[in-house]
PDB file of all heavy atoms in Angstrom:
ATOM      1  N   GLN A  11       4.064  29.866   4.520  1.00  0.00           N
ATOM      2  CA  GLN A  11       4.457  31.084   3.884  1.00  0.00           C
ATOM      3  C   GLN A  11       5.338  31.961   4.839  1.00  0.00           C
ATOM      4  O   GLN A  11       4.924  32.051   6.038  1.00  0.00           O
ATOM      5  CB  GLN A  11       3.246  31.960   3.338  1.00  0.00           C
ATOM      6  CG  GLN A  11       2.588  31.278   2.151  1.00  0.00           C
ATOM      7  CD  GLN A  11       1.554  32.213   1.634  1.00  0.00           C
ATOM      8  OE1 GLN A  11       0.350  31.815   1.754  1.00  0.00           O
ATOM      9  NE2 GLN A  11       1.857  33.300   1.047  1.00  0.00           N
ATOM     10  N   ALA A  33      -4.562  52.231  18.190  1.00  0.00           N
ATOM     11  CA  ALA A  33      -5.491  52.641  17.152  1.00  0.00           C
ATOM     12  C   ALA A  33      -4.767  53.526  16.257  1.00  0.00           C
ATOM     13  O   ALA A  33      -4.492  54.709  16.657  1.00  0.00           O
ATOM     14  CB  ALA A  33      -6.774  53.212  17.734  1.00  0.00           C
ATOM     15  N   ALA A  60      -8.762  47.947   4.992  1.00  0.00           N
ATOM     16  CA  ALA A  60      -9.793  47.085   5.429  1.00  0.00           C
ATOM     17  C   ALA A  60      -9.259  45.584   5.396  1.00  0.00           C
ATOM     18  O   ALA A  60      -9.714  44.795   6.168  1.00  0.00           O
ATOM     19  CB  ALA A  60     -11.046  47.279   4.656  1.00  0.00           C
ATOM     20  N   SER A  64      -9.381  43.172   8.628  1.00  0.00           N
ATOM     21  CA  SER A  64     -10.001  41.890   8.724  1.00  0.00           C
ATOM     22  C   SER A  64      -9.195  40.890   9.450  1.00  0.00           C
ATOM     23  O   SER A  64      -9.645  40.021  10.121  1.00  0.00           O
ATOM     24  CB  SER A  64     -10.419  41.340   7.393  1.00  0.00           C
ATOM     25  OG  SER A  64      -9.390  41.071   6.575  1.00  0.00           O
ATOM     26  N   PRO A  78     -10.167  61.849   8.856  1.00  0.00           N
ATOM     27  CA  PRO A  78     -10.552  62.729   7.859  1.00  0.00           C
ATOM     28  C   PRO A  78      -9.547  63.076   6.864  1.00  0.00           C
ATOM     29  O   PRO A  78      -8.205  62.993   7.219  1.00  0.00           O
ATOM     30  CB  PRO A  78     -11.007  64.051   8.669  1.00  0.00           C
ATOM     31  CG  PRO A  78     -10.176  63.947   9.879  1.00  0.00           C
ATOM     32  CD  PRO A  78     -10.035  62.468  10.218  1.00  0.00           C
ATOM     33  N   THR A  82      -2.323  68.490   4.311  1.00  0.00           N
ATOM     34  CA  THR A  82      -0.749  68.439   4.359  1.00  0.00           C
ATOM     35  C   THR A  82      -0.266  67.610   3.104  1.00  0.00           C
ATOM     36  O   THR A  82      -0.865  66.613   2.700  1.00  0.00           O
ATOM     37  CB  THR A  82      -0.286  67.873   5.581  1.00  0.00           C
ATOM     38  OG1 THR A  82       1.162  68.079   5.602  1.00  0.00           O
ATOM     39  CG2 THR A  82      -0.540  66.426   5.807  1.00  0.00           C
ATOM     40  N   ARG A  83       0.701  68.107   2.571  1.00  0.00           N
ATOM     41  CA  ARG A  83       1.487  67.378   1.509  1.00  0.00           C
ATOM     42  C   ARG A  83       2.931  67.184   1.985  1.00  0.00           C
ATOM     43  O   ARG A  83       3.866  67.051   1.276  1.00  0.00           O
ATOM     44  CB  ARG A  83       1.391  68.089   0.185  1.00  0.00           C
ATOM     45  CG  ARG A  83       0.007  68.088  -0.305  1.00  0.00           C
ATOM     46  CD  ARG A  83      -0.035  68.605  -1.764  1.00  0.00           C
ATOM     47  NE  ARG A  83       0.612  67.569  -2.629  1.00  0.00           N
ATOM     48  CZ  ARG A  83      -0.007  66.454  -3.078  1.00  0.00           C
ATOM     49  NH1 ARG A  83      -1.110  66.105  -2.724  1.00  0.00           N
ATOM     50  NH2 ARG A  83       0.757  65.645  -3.819  1.00  0.00           N
ATOM     51  N   ALA A  86       7.400  62.327   6.191  1.00  0.00           N
ATOM     52  CA  ALA A  86       8.603  62.270   7.050  1.00  0.00           C
ATOM     53  C   ALA A  86       9.793  62.108   6.181  1.00  0.00           C
ATOM     54  O   ALA A  86       9.837  61.454   5.218  1.00  0.00           O
ATOM     55  CB  ALA A  86       8.487  61.166   8.009  1.00  0.00           C
ATOM     56  N   ARG A  88      14.494  62.499   6.784  1.00  0.00           N
ATOM     57  CA  ARG A  88      15.518  62.477   7.834  1.00  0.00           C
ATOM     58  C   ARG A  88      15.572  63.740   8.651  1.00  0.00           C
ATOM     59  O   ARG A  88      16.081  63.848   9.707  1.00  0.00           O
ATOM     60  CB  ARG A  88      16.897  62.172   7.322  1.00  0.00           C
ATOM     61  CG  ARG A  88      17.483  63.168   6.414  1.00  0.00           C
ATOM     62  CD  ARG A  88      18.923  62.816   5.954  1.00  0.00           C
ATOM     63  NE  ARG A  88      18.837  61.683   5.221  1.00  0.00           N
ATOM     64  CZ  ARG A  88      19.585  61.511   3.966  1.00  0.00           C
ATOM     65  NH1 ARG A  88      20.125  62.577   3.560  1.00  0.00           N
ATOM     66  NH2 ARG A  88      19.551  60.452   3.394  1.00  0.00           N
ATOM     67  N   ALA A 112      19.043  73.004 -10.272  1.00  0.00           N
ATOM     68  CA  ALA A 112      20.414  72.408 -10.067  1.00  0.00           C
ATOM     69  C   ALA A 112      21.085  73.085  -8.916  1.00  0.00           C
ATOM     70  O   ALA A 112      21.099  74.382  -8.864  1.00  0.00           O
ATOM     71  CB  ALA A 112      21.206  72.519 -11.352  1.00  0.00           C
ATOM     72  N   TRP A 129       8.133  63.998  -6.195  1.00  0.00           N
ATOM     73  CA  TRP A 129       8.777  62.610  -5.951  1.00  0.00           C
ATOM     74  C   TRP A 129      10.233  62.733  -6.036  1.00  0.00           C
ATOM     75  O   TRP A 129      10.779  62.985  -7.063  1.00  0.00           O
ATOM     76  CB  TRP A 129       8.079  61.678  -7.005  1.00  0.00           C
ATOM     77  CG  TRP A 129       8.737  60.300  -6.793  1.00  0.00           C
ATOM     78  CD1 TRP A 129       9.813  59.720  -7.434  1.00  0.00           C
ATOM     79  CD2 TRP A 129       8.286  59.285  -5.816  1.00  0.00           C
ATOM     80  NE1 TRP A 129      10.017  58.470  -7.075  1.00  0.00           N
ATOM     81  CE2 TRP A 129       9.123  58.122  -6.054  1.00  0.00           C
ATOM     82  CE3 TRP A 129       7.300  59.221  -4.789  1.00  0.00           C
ATOM     83  CZ2 TRP A 129       8.943  57.051  -5.286  1.00  0.00           C
ATOM     84  CZ3 TRP A 129       7.196  58.095  -4.177  1.00  0.00           C
ATOM     85  CH2 TRP A 129       7.947  56.963  -4.317  1.00  0.00           C
ATOM     86  N   ALA A 145      14.544  54.584  18.267  1.00  0.00           N
ATOM     87  CA  ALA A 145      15.792  53.758  17.985  1.00  0.00           C
ATOM     88  C   ALA A 145      16.230  52.740  18.949  1.00  0.00           C
ATOM     89  O   ALA A 145      16.803  51.715  18.710  1.00  0.00           O
ATOM     90  CB  ALA A 145      16.877  54.596  17.630  1.00  0.00           C
ATOM     91  N   GLU A 156       3.943  57.388   0.214  1.00  0.00           N
ATOM     92  CA  GLU A 156       3.958  58.376  -0.997  1.00  0.00           C
ATOM     93  C   GLU A 156       3.845  57.462  -2.245  1.00  0.00           C
ATOM     94  O   GLU A 156       4.532  56.385  -2.309  1.00  0.00           O
ATOM     95  CB  GLU A 156       5.195  59.227  -1.066  1.00  0.00           C
ATOM     96  CG  GLU A 156       5.412  60.109   0.139  1.00  0.00           C
ATOM     97  CD  GLU A 156       6.716  60.767   0.071  1.00  0.00           C
ATOM     98  OE1 GLU A 156       6.955  61.677  -0.715  1.00  0.00           O
ATOM     99  OE2 GLU A 156       7.556  60.341   0.997  1.00  0.00           O
ATOM    100  N   THR A 159       3.435  58.964  -8.788  1.00  0.00           N
ATOM    101  CA  THR A 159       2.586  59.275  -9.948  1.00  0.00           C
ATOM    102  C   THR A 159       3.253  59.718 -11.109  1.00  0.00           C
ATOM    103  O   THR A 159       2.825  59.478 -12.282  1.00  0.00           O
ATOM    104  CB  THR A 159       1.441  60.278  -9.429  1.00  0.00           C
ATOM    105  OG1 THR A 159       0.748  59.722  -8.400  1.00  0.00           O
ATOM    106  CG2 THR A 159       0.465  60.433 -10.632  1.00  0.00           C
ATOM    107  N   ASP A 168     -11.025  46.591 -11.821  1.00  0.00           N
ATOM    108  CA  ASP A 168     -10.819  45.256 -11.556  1.00  0.00           C
ATOM    109  C   ASP A 168     -10.286  44.484 -12.904  1.00  0.00           C
ATOM    110  O   ASP A 168      -9.708  43.454 -12.831  1.00  0.00           O
ATOM    111  CB  ASP A 168     -12.062  44.495 -10.959  1.00  0.00           C
ATOM    112  CG  ASP A 168     -12.359  45.109  -9.691  1.00  0.00           C
ATOM    113  OD1 ASP A 168     -11.503  45.663  -8.965  1.00  0.00           O
ATOM    114  OD2 ASP A 168     -13.540  45.095  -9.369  1.00  0.00           O
ATOM    115  N   GLU A 169     -10.658  45.021 -14.126  1.00  0.00           N
ATOM    116  CA  GLU A 169     -10.392  44.386 -15.323  1.00  0.00           C
ATOM    117  C   GLU A 169     -10.531  45.425 -16.447  1.00  0.00           C
ATOM    118  O   GLU A 169     -11.192  46.455 -16.220  1.00  0.00           O
ATOM    119  CB  GLU A 169     -11.245  43.155 -15.524  1.00  0.00           C
ATOM    120  CG  GLU A 169     -12.757  43.423 -15.506  1.00  0.00           C
ATOM    121  CD  GLU A 169     -13.528  42.164 -15.716  1.00  0.00           C
ATOM    122  OE1 GLU A 169     -13.019  41.038 -15.622  1.00  0.00           O
ATOM    123  OE2 GLU A 169     -14.662  42.266 -15.929  1.00  0.00           O
ATOM    124  N   HIS A 195       4.339  47.432   5.523  1.00  0.00           N
ATOM    125  CA  HIS A 195       5.467  48.108   6.057  1.00  0.00           C
ATOM    126  C   HIS A 195       5.023  49.021   7.173  1.00  0.00           C
ATOM    127  O   HIS A 195       5.781  49.041   8.174  1.00  0.00           O
ATOM    128  CB  HIS A 195       6.138  49.036   4.937  1.00  0.00           C
ATOM    129  CG  HIS A 195       6.814  48.225   3.832  1.00  0.00           C
ATOM    130  ND1 HIS A 195       7.636  47.284   4.063  1.00  0.00           N
ATOM    131  CD2 HIS A 195       6.694  48.405   2.519  1.00  0.00           C
ATOM    132  CE1 HIS A 195       8.150  46.813   2.951  1.00  0.00           C
ATOM    133  NE2 HIS A 195       7.562  47.439   1.917  1.00  0.00           N
ATOM    134  N   HIS A 201      10.279  43.012   3.328  1.00  0.00           N
ATOM    135  CA  HIS A 201      10.075  42.260   2.239  1.00  0.00           C
ATOM    136  C   HIS A 201      10.477  40.733   2.290  1.00  0.00           C
ATOM    137  O   HIS A 201      11.352  40.419   3.106  1.00  0.00           O
ATOM    138  CB  HIS A 201      11.032  42.873   1.014  1.00  0.00           C
ATOM    139  CG  HIS A 201      10.462  44.237   0.519  1.00  0.00           C
ATOM    140  ND1 HIS A 201      11.312  45.112   0.024  1.00  0.00           N
ATOM    141  CD2 HIS A 201       9.231  44.722   0.535  1.00  0.00           C
ATOM    142  CE1 HIS A 201      10.694  46.149  -0.264  1.00  0.00           C
ATOM    143  NE2 HIS A 201       9.377  45.972  -0.003  1.00  0.00           N
ATOM    144  N   VAL A 214       4.153  43.826 -11.541  1.00  0.00           N
ATOM    145  CA  VAL A 214       4.113  43.960 -13.021  1.00  0.00           C
ATOM    146  C   VAL A 214       2.796  44.616 -13.399  1.00  0.00           C
ATOM    147  O   VAL A 214       1.837  44.610 -12.542  1.00  0.00           O
ATOM    148  CB  VAL A 214       4.219  42.610 -13.655  1.00  0.00           C
ATOM    149  CG1 VAL A 214       5.556  41.932 -13.506  1.00  0.00           C
ATOM    150  CG2 VAL A 214       3.093  41.559 -13.230  1.00  0.00           C
ATOM    151  N   ARG A 258      18.346  43.658   3.359  1.00  0.00           N
ATOM    152  CA  ARG A 258      18.598  44.927   3.997  1.00  0.00           C
ATOM    153  C   ARG A 258      19.827  45.503   3.447  1.00  0.00           C
ATOM    154  O   ARG A 258      20.923  45.172   3.809  1.00  0.00           O
ATOM    155  CB  ARG A 258      18.656  44.753   5.565  1.00  0.00           C
ATOM    156  CG  ARG A 258      17.369  44.265   6.200  1.00  0.00           C
ATOM    157  CD  ARG A 258      17.379  44.300   7.653  1.00  0.00           C
ATOM    158  NE  ARG A 258      16.041  43.878   8.226  1.00  0.00           N
ATOM    159  CZ  ARG A 258      15.796  42.647   8.422  1.00  0.00           C
ATOM    160  NH1 ARG A 258      16.604  41.683   8.230  1.00  0.00           N
ATOM    161  NH2 ARG A 258      14.536  42.330   8.943  1.00  0.00           N
TER     162      ARG A 258
END
Side-chain angles (χ1 to χ4, degrees):
Q11 284 186 251
S64 65
T82 187
R83 296 194 63 81
R88 68 173 66 128
W129 176 263
E156 300 170 73
T159 303
D168 298 330
E169 59 183 13
H195 290 310
H201 289 152
V214 294
R258 295 189 175 90

